C-alpha cells in the first residue's frame, strides 16, 4: 500500500477527531463537564446494555482511571447514579439520572449533527461499502495486535 494513502487515512482521522471535539465543546461548556465526563454520559446513553465502568473501558477505550474519576464527578453532579447488582454486590451498574439523560440527549443531538454533516454527501451504497471496509480494517488491526501477544 502506498505511503500517501496511509498518511491521508491518518489525516482524515485526525481532522474528524478535532471536528468532533469542536462539535461537543458547547455541550461541555454549557453543563460544566470535561470531555471524558461527556463521553461517559454518551456511552451510557448510546449503549444501554453496557452500564458498567469496565464496559466503558473495554468498548470505548478510555483509561480506567478516567472512567472512574468521570463517574465519581458525574455522580457528585447528580448526572449519574451507581446501583449494586442484586446477584453480585461487587458489580456496580451506572445509571443516568433524569438530568443526566437531558445532558446526554443534547450530546447525542450534537453527535447526530456531526455525523449528518460528514456523511451528508455519501450515498447509501458508499456507506455500506465503507462499513465493510471498516470491519475488515478492525479485524486486521486485531490480528496485528495479537501478533505482539504471541511473538
Amino acid at each position: 500500500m502506498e505511503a500517501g494513502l496511509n498518511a491521508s487515512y491518518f489525516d482524515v482521522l485526525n481532522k474528524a477527531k478535532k471536528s468532533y471535539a469542536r462539535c461537543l465543546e458547547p455541550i461541555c461548556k454549557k453543563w460544566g463537564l470535561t470531555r471524558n465526563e461527556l463521553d461517559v454520559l454518551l456511552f451510557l446513553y448510546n449503549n444501554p446494555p453496557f452500564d458498567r465502568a469496565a464496559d466503558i473501558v473495554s468498548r470505548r477505550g478510555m483509561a480506567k482511571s478516567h472512567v472512574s474519576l468521570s463517574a465519581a464527578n458525574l455522580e457528585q453532579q447528580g448526572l449519574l447514579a451507581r446501583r449494586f447488582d442484586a446477584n453480585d454486590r461487587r458489580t456496580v451498574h451506572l445509571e443516568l439520572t433524569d438530568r443526566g439523560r437531558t445532558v446526554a440527549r443534547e450530546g447525542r443531538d450534537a453527535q447526530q449533527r456531526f455525523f449528518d454533516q460528514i456523511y451528508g454527501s455519501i450515498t447509501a451504497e458508499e456507506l455500506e461499502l465503507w462499513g465493510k471496509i471498516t470491519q475488515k480494517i478492525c479485524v486486521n488491526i486485531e490480528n496485528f495486535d495479537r501478533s505482539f501477544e504471541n511473538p
Side-chain angles (χ1 to χ4, degrees), residues 65-140:
S65 59
H66 290 161
V67 173
S68 179
L69 179 62
S70 295
N73 290 342
L74 291 167
E75 185 178 27
Q76 190 174 40
Q77 296 173 53
L79 300 171
L80 186 73
R82 296 173 197 248
R83 180 182 48 83
F84 288 94
D85 190 295
N87 298 320
D88 182 356
R89 299 286 297 162
R90 296 171 297 173
T91 301
V92 177
H93 297 276
L94 305 173
E95 297 177 343
L96 297 176
T97 63
D98 289 341
R99 187 168 175 251
R101 277 189 292 280
T102 298
V103 175
R105 271 192 297 275
E106 286 187 28
R108 180 66 185 120
D109 290 346
Q111 284 180 322
Q112 190 62 54
R113 285 191 303 276
F114 172 77
F115 289 115
D116 288 348
Q117 181 64 41
I118 66 169
Y119 293 128
S121 63
I122 299 174
T123 67
E125 294 80 18
E126 290 169 333
L127 278 176
E128 184 178 342
L129 179 60
W130 172 250
K132 290 176 182 177
I133 291 169
T134 301
Q135 284 179 327
K136 286 183 177 185
I137 290 172
C138 286
V139 168
N140 291 343

Side-chain angles (χ1 to χ4, degrees), residues 20-21 24-42 60 62 65-74 77 79 103 107:
Y20 181 72
L24 294 180
E25 188 176 330
I27 308 299
C28 290
K29 284 184 179 178
K30 176 180 178 180
W31 294 96
L33 300 173
T34 67
R35 184 52 202 291
N36 284 334
E37 291 166 351
L38 182 56
D39 285 346
V40 167
L41 290 177
L42 286 169
R60 182 66 174 74
M62 293 176 67
S65 59
H66 290 161
V67 173
S68 179
L69 179 62
S70 295
N73 290 342
L74 291 167
Q77 296 173 53
L79 300 171
V103 175

